[in-house]
């Protein structure tokens, strides 16, 4: 064999024909554990004899299998998104090709002697050459795909030696350019399986459901060397020949909401196989709607890479279960296995707990899009030399996972361009499994796929697709105009799925609700998958021993894509992010809100299959955030898609009228699980809604203004002490306080940094992050103080002129602010070419949103303060308990909350703007004894507090670099910019943009003591 056998267009050799992953009672030996390991940073030539059973490996290291060698001190992880980490010279790879040699010694039990056996690798990255007892078995590509070898003739009684050479890069690397860490090694299990004579090699169960009659039809395909019998006790089938069709008058169908599984046992005299299956039928109807068991479904999904912060893609079963449970707990019902088949145990869990799964083939060639003068010039997808490798990958995917009822769609791969090899894959899948539709986003015209998928389209563009307005030949990426009658374009008669949307990088995504609303308006718009499930940060420590999550560039890579690897709804430790909480609320299958008539509650059932009988409804009444009553409501008997009204409970409002007592009155209604399920405890909240029953009482009339006094270098006004020269507030009662300063900037989020919308670049160019303040005037009035300040940056001709007007009744310090832009503010610039505003809106609304979409923006507009660090106990009345922004606030409710300043931070892997509390009526900042500051406003405001400045936040690459200072930095903002998804996709929708404009707002400041009333 050539010394460069790993540079072959063909998919390897020696492997057995692919088959399903079967739960068999045939004997097996798990070869996981510590293997002898030898690492070379460069290519090793022909083997030096290490494959021989007599080779002495006593000087070698030990490496656990499954694992990646880069996570055990050999080589280093590499993160690149699109670019290949090697020169693009297919099928060749450089000599700087890390190589790992593995050896495993095992004993063969006497009962196995003289029997057939198969060696199965579940996953090896990226190419492996395998020997058993010195006999070469073959070479395999396809890192995340199983490979089986017949080892019958190579096995020996007693001692056996398995030797494997693994290369970091191979010809297969050109087909595996996925947006994830490049990690190498034997990262899934290795198993030796006995193959008894007369055993069962493969099984394909076809279990169809007729929604009109409730009947089930089971057809069994087997590949065996003896007659096969089948038993399905729950359906009354006992040891019958597994031949022909089995019809059942009544079956319980499988769905993600009701994942009922039947257990089948198929047996010969020598082997018994267990398969859990479900009855369900998938179809696209004449109207272009994707239906399962006759019902339209909406995919409220996520894209999921397999990842663990300590083990990479070597993911334990416990971690897989945690993923599925977290998804179910947050109302997620669908997974796209981006961008390769997952560990087979993950699909078992999806079958059991209920998720719609799109299984994606281990294929991506994105690095070919831009590397040559012409896009996709040398793409393997259209190169016949790669034909066998493409078919091999899809065959191994479908054959392994064909029996899983959770598998809804087959996906040919991701971002691999177009070409003859992809068409051949689709043709093979249709022949092998016509029961499932085919997905592939880069089939722009849907010439060989069954569902129409696109990435990162704004809601306005999705609405147009939902209305069936695509023109023949029109494509979005790369942009190409179409022409003709939309009725002639088949995509206008196909289900539309957002293959990737709402890029969940850093603080965000914003604007989720707008997408889900389109799923309600347009039947063919059937949801999709957020990118992505998890931040793929690798747990590590810095030179000071501080733990942090590493991303691209943290391992000294020559080429990397930074923190673009951290774009998930859960943090690397699987803690839910605010983005996940927002998504869970937006996609909740029950909507609860005020009814059209007084005294009623509107409830909508957005489940695809279930009625609401499995839920309980509970309510809580709170005044000014303090609970005063609670109770239960009758569960509305609503079928999927139905809406109904529920009478509100009889409430004692304290005084007999709506405004009895003081403070706002809010009713919160929750739909909860009344009993424990396989993925959630009793009482878990599925959905909730809030109704305001009474507004706050009118504020008490302020007392008579007290006079202003000048005392040396200070100005005294009520409890406030001001600097006589600058007008800065220096103290409030006994509390040292410094401020306010006008704030217009925030530490940019990953979405603010989006290259096409240019918000953060515009703020930086105007110097909003480095404002200098000049006091224009300080005017002492008889009963107040007026301070005028101009705020601008060095080398900038634009800024803001702010007037601060203070007065006091002796107890409360009142501030009114007027801020207006001055000077020339250049336009922001915006290269995002897609449709951000729906042209079918009323003309006046359309024109206004178009104007706002291109408007100059601010990160925020409000006031900055400093107060001593020990005033870190925070209580507030407003939204909570978590952060909220204008386009990401569905997950928070109005209430009274308390936290420390540290607890108010959200630890995004790359530090950035976070922790904003919205619609705050009042807040207190106190020490542990209860002494400090109360700040309030008649108009709800935005509140952020942290132990570092925004500039320090922006400068840090990792959370571990943020060091608390001696002061708290408090922002009380009149308004803040939304979040959007511009890190990869649409920016802030125009209705959530914070425009450059004048602003008027007011606050009251009061010394707070333990006896103070809030």
């Amino acid at each position: 064999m050539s010394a460069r056998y790993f540079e072959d267009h063909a998919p390897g050799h020696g492997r057995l024909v692919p088959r399903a992953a079967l739960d068999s009672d045939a004997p097996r030996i798990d070869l996981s554990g510590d293997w002898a390991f030898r690492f070379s940073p460069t290519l090793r030539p022909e083997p030096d004899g290490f494959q021989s059973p007599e080779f002495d490996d006593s000087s070698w290291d030990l490496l656990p299998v499954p694992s990646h060698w880069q996570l055990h001190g050999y080589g280093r992880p590499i993160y690149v998104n699109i670019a290949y980490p090697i020169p693009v010279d297919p099928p060749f790879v450089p000599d700087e090709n890390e190589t790992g040699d593995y050896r495993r010694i095992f004993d063969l039990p006497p009962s196995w002697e003289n029997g057939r056996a198969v060696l199965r690798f579940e996953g090896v990255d990226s190419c492996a050459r395998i020997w058993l007892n010195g006999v070469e078995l073959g070479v395999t590509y396809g890192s995340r795909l199983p490979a089986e070898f017949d080892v019958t003739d190579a096995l020996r009684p007693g001692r056996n030696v398995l030797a494997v050479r693994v290369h970091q890069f191979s010809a297969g690397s050109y087909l595996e350019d996925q947006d994830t860490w490049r990690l190498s090694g034997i990262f899934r299990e290795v198993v030796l399986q006995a193959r008894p004579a007369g055993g069962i090699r493969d099984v394909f169960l076809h279990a169809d459901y007729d929604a009109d009659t409730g009947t089930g039809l089971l057809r069994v395909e087997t590949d065996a060397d003896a007659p096969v019998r089948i038993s399905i006790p729950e359906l009354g089938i006992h040891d019958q020949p597994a031949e022909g069709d089995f019809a059942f008058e009544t079956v319980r169908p499988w769905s993600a909401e009701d994942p009922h599984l039947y257990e089948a046992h198929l047996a010969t005299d020598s082997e018994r196989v267990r398969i859990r299956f479900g009855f369900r039928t998938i179809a696209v109807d004449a109207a272009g709607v994707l239906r399962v068991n006759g019902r339209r479904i909406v995919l409220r999904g996520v894209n999921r890479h397999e990842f663990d912060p300590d083990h990479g893609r070597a993911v334990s079963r416990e971690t897989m279960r945690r993923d599925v449970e977290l998804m179910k707990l947050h109302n997620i019902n669908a997974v796209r296995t981006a961008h390769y088949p997952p560990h087979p145990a993950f699909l078992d869990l999806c079958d059991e707990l209920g998720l719609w799964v799109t299984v994606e083939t281990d294929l991506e060639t994105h690095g070919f899009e831009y590397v040559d003068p012409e896009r996709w010039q040398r793409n393997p997808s259209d190169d016949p030399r790669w034909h066998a490798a493409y078919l091999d990958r899809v065959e191994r995917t479908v054959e392994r996972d064909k029996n899983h009822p959770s598998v809804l769609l087959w996906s040919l791969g991701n971002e691999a361009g177009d070409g003859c090899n992809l068409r051949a894959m689709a043709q093979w899948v249709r022949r092998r499994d016509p029961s499932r539709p085919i997905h592939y986003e880069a089939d722009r015209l849907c010439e060989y796929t069954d569902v129409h998928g696109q990435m990162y389209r704004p809601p306005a563009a999705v609405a147009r697709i939902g209305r069936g307005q695509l023109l023949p030949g029109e494509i979005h990426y790369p942009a190409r105009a179409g022409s003709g009658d939309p009725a002639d374009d088949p995509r206008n008669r196909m289900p539309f799925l957002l293959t990737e949307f709402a890029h969940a990088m850093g603080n965000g995504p914003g604007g989720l609700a707008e997408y889900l609303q389109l799923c309600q308006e347009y039947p063919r718009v059937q949801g999709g998958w957020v990118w992505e499930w998890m931040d793929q940060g690798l747990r590590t420590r810095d030179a000071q021993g501080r733990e942090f999550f590493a991303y691209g560039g943290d391992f000294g890579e020559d080429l990397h894509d930074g923190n673009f690897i951290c774009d998930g709804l859960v943090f690397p430790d699987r803690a839910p992010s605010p983005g996940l909480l927002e998504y869970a609320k937006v996609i909740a299958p029950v909507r609860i809100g005020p009814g059209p008539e007084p005294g009623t509650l509107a409830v909508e059932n957005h489940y695809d299959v279930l009625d609401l009988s499995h839920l309980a409804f509970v309510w809580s009444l709170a005044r000014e955030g303090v609970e005063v009553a609670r109770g239960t409501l009758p569960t509305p008997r609503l079928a999927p898609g139905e809406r109904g009204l529920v009478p509100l409970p009889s409430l004692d409002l304290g005084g007999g009228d709506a405004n009895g007592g003081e403070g706002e009155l809010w009713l919160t209604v929750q739909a909860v699980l009344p009993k424990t399920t396989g993925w959630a405890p009793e009482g878990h909240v599925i959905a909730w809604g809030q109704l305001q029953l009474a507004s706050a009482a009118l504020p008490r009339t302020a007392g008579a203004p007290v006079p202003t006094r000048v005392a040396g270098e200070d100005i005294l006004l009520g409890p406030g002490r001001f600097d006589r020269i600058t007008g800065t507030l220096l103290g409030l009662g006994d509390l040292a306080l410094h401020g306010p300063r006008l704030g217009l900037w925030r530490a940019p989020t990953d979405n603010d940094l989006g290259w096409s919308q240019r918000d953060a670049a515009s703020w930086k160019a105007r110097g909003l992050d480095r404002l200098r303040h000049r006091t224009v005037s300080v005017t002492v009035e008889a009963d107040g103080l007026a301070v005028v300040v101009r705020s601008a940056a060095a080398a900038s001709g634009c800024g803001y002129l702010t007037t601060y007007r203070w007065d006091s009744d002796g107890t409360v310090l009142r501030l009114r602010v007027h801020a207006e832009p001055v000077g020339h503010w250049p336009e922001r610039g915006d290269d995002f070419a897609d449709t951000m505003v729906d042209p079918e809106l009323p003309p006046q609304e359309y024109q206004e949103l178009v104007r706002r979409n291109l408007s100059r923006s601010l990160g925020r507009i409000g006031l900055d303060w400093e107060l001593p660090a020990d005033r870190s106990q925070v209580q507030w009345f407003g939204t909570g308990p978590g952060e909220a922004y204008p386009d990401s606030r569905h997950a928070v409710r109005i209430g009274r909350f308390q936290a420390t300043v540290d607890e108010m931070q959200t630890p995004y892997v790359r530090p950035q703007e976070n922790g904003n509390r919205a619609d705050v009526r009042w807040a207190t900042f106190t020490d542990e004894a209860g002494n400090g500051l109360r700040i309030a406003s008649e108009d709800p405001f935005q509140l952020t507090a942290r132990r570092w400045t925004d500039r320090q936040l922006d400068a840090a690459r990792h959370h571990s670099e943020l060091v608390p200072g001696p002061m708290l930095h408090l922002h009380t903002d009149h308004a803040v910019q939304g979040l959007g998804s511009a890190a990869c996709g649409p920016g802030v929708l125009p209705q959530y943009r914070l425009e450059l404009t004048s602003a008027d707002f007011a606050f009251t400041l009061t010394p707070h003591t333990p006896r103070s009333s809030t």
Side-chain angles (χ1 to χ4, degrees):
M1 177 183 290
S2 166
R4 301 187 74 92
Y5 59 88
F6 45 84
E7 296 172 326
D8 194 343
H9 292 99
H13 65 272
R15 281 187 287 105
L16 293 171
V17 175
R19 63 182 182 131
L22 297 176
D23 179 6
S24 168
D25 68 351
R28 65 197 304 271
I29 298 174
D30 185 354
L31 298 178
S32 299
D34 287 338
W35 291 41
F37 179 74
R38 178 178 63 182
F39 175 76
S40 173
T42 60
L43 172 67
R44 280 186 169 270
E46 281 295 299
D48 58 353
F50 86 95
Q51 74 275 24
S52 168
E54 290 74 33
F55 183 87
D56 181 7
D57 61 19
S58 60
S59 64
W60 287 20
D61 299 332
L62 293 178
L63 184 71
V65 171
S67 74
H68 298 284
W69 67 60
Q70 287 90 352
L71 301 184
H72 288 266
Y74 307 95
R76 59 189 179 187
I78 300 172
Y79 168 61
V80 283
N81 172 19
I82 297 174
Y84 283 103
I86 56 175
V88 182
D89 184 23
F92 306 111
V93 296
D95 293 341
E96 293 86 0
N97 188 1
E98 294 178 2
T99 302
D101 290 331
Y102 295 77
R103 283 171 54 90
R104 175 72 155 86
I105 299 172
F106 64 93
D107 289 328
L108 189 71
S111 59
W112 283 51
E113 295 177 12
N114 302 319
R116 293 186 62 244
V118 166
L119 181 66
R120 183 179 179 96
F121 292 81
E122 292 292 350
V124 184
D125 193 326
S126 73
C127 170
R129 186 177 179 184
I130 302 151
W131 297 263
L132 180 61
N133 296 321
V135 177
E136 182 165 351
L137 303 178
V139 172
T140 181
Y141 299 105
S143 296
R144 297 92 172 184
L145 295 163
E148 288 189 330
F149 299 88
D150 190 329
V151 296
T152 304
D153 296 335
L155 274 175
R156 298 176 178 176
R159 181 179 183 270
N160 286 262
V161 179
L162 177 60
V164 183
R165 170 159 287 178
V166 179
H167 299 288
Q168 181 183 27
F169 302 121
S170 67
S173 300
Y174 288 102
L175 307 185
E176 296 172 7
D177 192 34
Q178 290 95 339
D179 177 13
T180 187
W181 290 101
R182 312 303 165 104
L183 298 169
S184 314
I186 305 173
F187 69 95
R188 289 181 184 162
E189 297 86 351
V190 183
V191 176
L192 184 68
Q193 300 173 327
R195 299 302 309 129
I200 301 171
R201 199 196 76 84
D202 199 10
V203 178
F204 192 176
L205 293 185
H206 305 264
D208 297 326
Y209 177 73
D210 188 320
D212 293 331
T213 63
T215 59
L217 183 65
L218 179 66
R219 179 167 58 88
V220 185
E221 289 183 38
T222 60
D223 179 358
D225 298 327
V228 180
R229 305 178 304 278
I230 186 170
S231 298
I232 313 173
E234 190 176 350
L235 294 174
I237 302 296
H238 301 283
D239 211 30
Q240 296 186 21
E243 300 172 356
D245 295 341
F246 295 85
F248 304 98
E249 185 173 333
T250 303
V251 296
R252 182 174 167 185
W254 190 97
S255 71
E257 294 172 6
D258 182 23
H260 184 76
L261 292 172
Y262 292 90
E263 187 167 298
H265 294 267
L266 293 97
T268 65
D269 290 341
S270 59
E271 184 177 17
R272 187 177 184 87
V273 170
R274 182 183 77 109
I275 298 179
R276 296 193 303 174
F277 72 97
F279 289 95
R280 49 107 187 97
T281 298
I282 307 163
V284 177
D285 69 14
V289 176
L290 178 66
R291 296 184 180 275
V292 181
N293 302 331
R295 303 203 60 90
R296 174 183 182 260
I297 62 170
V298 174
L299 302 185
R300 303 166 175 92
V302 291
N303 288 277
R304 174 187 178 267
H305 270 290
E306 287 198 304
F307 185 74
D308 179 276
D310 302 302
H311 306 291
R313 284 188 294 280
V315 180
S316 70
R317 282 165 173 75
E318 293 76 19
T319 299
M320 296 178 213
R321 175 172 283 273
R322 181 60 180 153
D323 275 348
V324 176
E325 290 175 345
L326 275 170
M327 291 175 190
K328 297 287 290 186
L329 286 167
H330 292 90
N331 296 323
I332 289 165
N333 71 355
V335 175
R336 174 178 173 236
T337 67
H339 299 293
Y340 40 82
H343 191 289
F346 179 78
L347 297 180
D348 291 336
L349 291 165
C350 294
D351 294 341
E352 174 189 334
L353 299 179
L355 289 172
W356 301 116
V357 180
T358 295
V359 173
E360 196 146 86
T361 306
D362 190 5
L363 175 65
E364 180 167 340
T365 64
H366 202 177
F368 284 95
E369 182 173 10
Y370 303 110
V371 74
D372 293 319
E374 296 179 20
R375 289 162 59 101
W376 301 106
Q377 188 170 327
R378 290 181 288 159
N379 188 13
S381 295
D382 204 35
D383 185 339
R385 292 176 297 176
W386 295 92
H387 176 86
Y390 273 62
L391 284 183
D392 173 72
R393 286 171 182 260
V394 78
E395 289 173 14
R396 288 157 74 186
T397 299
V398 172
E399 295 294 357
R400 192 197 73 169
D401 297 335
K402 60 199 172 193
N403 291 314
H404 289 281
S406 58
V407 176
L408 174 72
L409 303 169
W410 298 118
S411 178
L412 303 181
N414 181 69
E415 292 176 321
D418 199 359
C420 59
N421 295 329
L422 287 156
R423 294 168 188 267
M425 292 169 73
Q427 291 170 1
W428 183 90
V429 173
R430 281 204 176 83
R431 290 194 302 270
R432 182 59 174 136
D433 182 22
S435 72
R436 294 178 174 100
I438 296 172
H439 165 276
Y440 178 60
E441 178 264 342
D443 177 16
R444 309 295 183 204
L445 298 177
C446 294
E447 295 176 325
Y448 48 90
T449 49
D450 303 305
V451 296
H452 179 203
Q454 292 192 21
M455 294 183 181
Y456 303 113
R457 302 303 304 275
V462 175
R464 182 169 170 264
I465 294 170
R467 292 191 292 262
Q469 294 175 338
L470 289 172
L471 300 178
E474 171 190 353
I475 58 173
H476 162 63
Y477 183 77
R480 187 177 76 193
S483 62
D485 188 347
D488 296 332
D489 194 311
R491 294 172 297 173
N492 291 323
R493 301 182 298 277
M494 299 175 72
F496 177 75
L497 298 174
L498 284 153
T499 301
E500 295 175 14
F501 78 109
H503 193 261
M505 186 175 180
N507 191 346
L512 288 169
E514 282 71 17
Y515 287 104
L516 271 294
Q517 181 59 37
L518 294 171
C519 296
Q520 308 305 319
E521 293 182 24
Y522 303 107
R524 291 188 305 105
V525 177
Q526 296 186 248
W529 304 273
V530 167
W531 186 266
E532 64 171 305
W533 172 239
M534 186 176 185
D535 285 344
Q536 296 180 63
L538 290 168
R539 196 191 314 268
T540 188
R541 292 185 180 274
D542 63 17
Q544 289 76 42
R546 299 173 301 188
E547 182 178 285
F548 69 96
F549 292 111
Y551 49 76
D554 285 329
F555 299 100
E557 309 99 299
D558 295 331
L559 181 70
H560 66 85
D561 283 308
N563 69 309
F564 207 71
I565 190 75
C566 294
D567 48 11
L569 291 171
V570 298
F571 294 119
D573 59 3
R574 284 180 165 76
S577 76
L580 179 58
L581 303 181
E582 177 76 0
Y583 193 38
K585 182 64 169 65
V586 167
I587 63 176
V590 182
R591 306 278 174 83
I592 302 169
E597 305 167 3
T600 63
L601 187 74
V603 178
E604 300 176 15
N605 181 359
H606 288 274
Y607 281 105
D608 297 325
V609 175
L610 297 177
D611 62 27
L612 300 187
S613 60
H614 67 292
L615 299 175
F617 283 70
V618 298
W619 60 267
S620 171
L621 183 66
R623 187 181 296 282
E624 199 72 5
V626 178
E627 184 177 278
V628 295
R630 62 170 46 240
T632 62
L633 290 172
T635 298
R637 303 298 178 182
L638 298 177
E642 288 187 343
R643 173 189 173 100
L645 299 180
V646 177
L648 290 180
S650 177
L651 302 172
D652 180 1
L653 302 182
D657 62 354
N659 286 307
E662 292 186 1
E664 299 177 34
L665 195 65
W666 288 84
L667 179 72
T668 303
V669 178
Q670 297 177 326
V672 304
L673 294 176
K675 58 183 180 181
T676 298
T677 70
W679 48 269
E682 176 185 344
H684 169 69
V685 178
I686 297 291
W688 60 269
Q690 267 194 323
L691 294 78
Q692 186 173 8
L693 302 183
S695 59
L698 293 175
R700 291 181 291 235
T701 303
V706 298
T708 308
R709 296 184 295 119
V710 176
E713 297 300 318
D714 294 339
I715 299 173
L716 305 178
L717 179 60
R721 181 172 60 88
F722 298 82
D723 184 282
R724 184 177 176 181
I725 305 302
T726 65
T728 302
L729 179 64
L730 302 177
L732 185 73
D734 296 330
L735 176 67
L737 185 65
H738 191 275
R741 291 292 193 201
L742 182 71
L744 305 174
W745 181 77
R746 67 188 185 195
T749 68
D750 290 309
N751 291 312
D752 291 337
L753 294 166
W755 61 270
S756 57
Q757 282 82 11
R758 301 184 180 177
D759 278 302
S762 174
W763 305 338
K764 198 84 169 179
R766 306 289 78 77
L768 302 188
D769 60 326
R770 50 186 175 86
L771 292 179
R772 303 284 183 89
H773 307 276
R774 176 174 64 86
T775 303
V776 176
S777 64
V778 177
T779 305
V780 177
E781 300 169 345
D783 53 4
L785 179 66
V787 181
V788 179
V789 178
R790 191 181 192 276
S791 302
S796 176
C798 61
Y800 259 76
L801 192 67
T802 307
T803 301
Y804 303 91
R805 294 191 177 277
W806 298 91
D807 68 84
S808 175
D809 63 359
T811 301
V812 174
L813 192 61
R814 294 184 290 264
L815 169 63
R816 289 172 292 141
V817 181
H818 173 76
E820 60 183 40
V822 293
H824 171 62
W825 288 75
E827 298 299 322
R828 170 172 57 92
D830 190 329
D831 292 337
F832 192 73
D834 209 344
T835 307
M836 290 292 285
V837 183
D838 189 344
E840 295 205 1
L841 290 171
Q844 188 173 356
E845 181 181 357
Y846 172 76
Q847 292 166 6
E848 170 62 10
L849 289 176
V850 167
R851 184 196 65 77
R852 292 194 63 174
N853 182 54
L854 298 176
S855 65
R856 294 162 294 188
S857 69
L858 301 172
R860 59 188 182 88
I861 184 166
L863 303 181
D864 298 347
W865 314 79
E866 292 181 355
L867 60 157
D870 65 346
R871 265 55 174 185
S872 60
Q873 306 295 317
V874 189
Q875 186 173 138
W876 74 97
F877 181 50
T879 65
E883 66 184 29
Y885 292 83
D887 57 354
S888 179
R889 49 172 299 142
H890 292 80
V892 295
R893 66 184 189 276
I894 298 295
R896 184 183 299 211
F897 305 97
Q898 60 184 23
T900 65
V901 167
D902 292 334
E903 291 168 343
M904 294 178 73
Q905 312 308 303
T906 302
Y908 294 110
V909 175
R910 185 193 72 79
Q912 56 197 272
E913 161 65 30
N914 72 90
N916 186 69
R917 268 57 180 182
D919 287 351
V920 175
R921 282 72 161 162
W922 56 257
T924 61
F925 290 81
T926 65
D927 58 19
E928 292 187 357
N931 297 302
L933 163 72
R934 182 184 193 271
I935 188 164
S937 177
E938 292 181 18
D939 297 318
F941 61 97
Q942 315 287 316
L943 175 69
T944 311
R946 50 181 66 104
R947 294 186 181 274
W948 33 78
T949 68
D950 278 14
R951 293 186 69 175
Q952 291 170 327
L953 185 64
D954 182 44
R957 292 188 73 251
H958 297 287
H959 198 70
S960 58
E961 299 168 18
L962 292 168
V963 179
M967 305 298 289
L968 293 182
H969 301 274
L970 172 64
H971 303 305
T972 57
D973 291 324
H974 170 64
V976 299
Q977 167 104 326
L979 299 173
S981 189
C984 186
V988 180
L989 296 178
Q991 58 267 38
Y992 302 120
R993 296 192 65 79
L994 177 56
E995 291 188 86
L996 175 72
T997 187
S998 299
D1000 292 276
F1001 49 96
F1003 294 102
T1004 62
L1005 285 75
T1006 312
H1008 189 277
T1009 67
R1011 296 182 298 277
S1012 299
S1013 171
T1014 56

